[in-house]
Amino acid sequence: MKPQDAVFFVALLALIVIRRPQMLLVAGLSCLVLSIPLFATWVFFTAERLTWYAAAFFVAFIIISLRTPDTVQ
């Protein structure tokens, strides 16, 4: 497990515990924005990981939103 994976899991768990769906979206979009320059410079391993992290943040957002639909406006 690489350090970036550990940081991702800690961030994901923290955001799930906080239960603020908007923060999950911001984290997912941030991962996508950070991956763009990495793809441009051919750092594919890290960029691909960031896109997977973004997908995980978006899935967590969907799950939390479905469980508590009144929190997303």
Side-chain angles (χ1 to χ4, degrees), residues 29-70:
L29 291 173
S30 299
C31 287
L32 290 176
V33 168
L34 288 173
S35 71
I36 292 170
L38 293 174
F39 275 122
T41 57
W42 294 45
V43 184
F44 291 121
F45 178 76
T46 303
E48 181 190 10
R49 285 287 176 110
L50 283 171
T51 57
W52 280 105
Y53 299 159
F57 284 127
F58 294 146
V59 168
F61 167 78
I62 291 170
I63 291 171
I64 288 176
S65 295
L66 289 175
R67 292 185 63 125
T68 56
D70 56 339

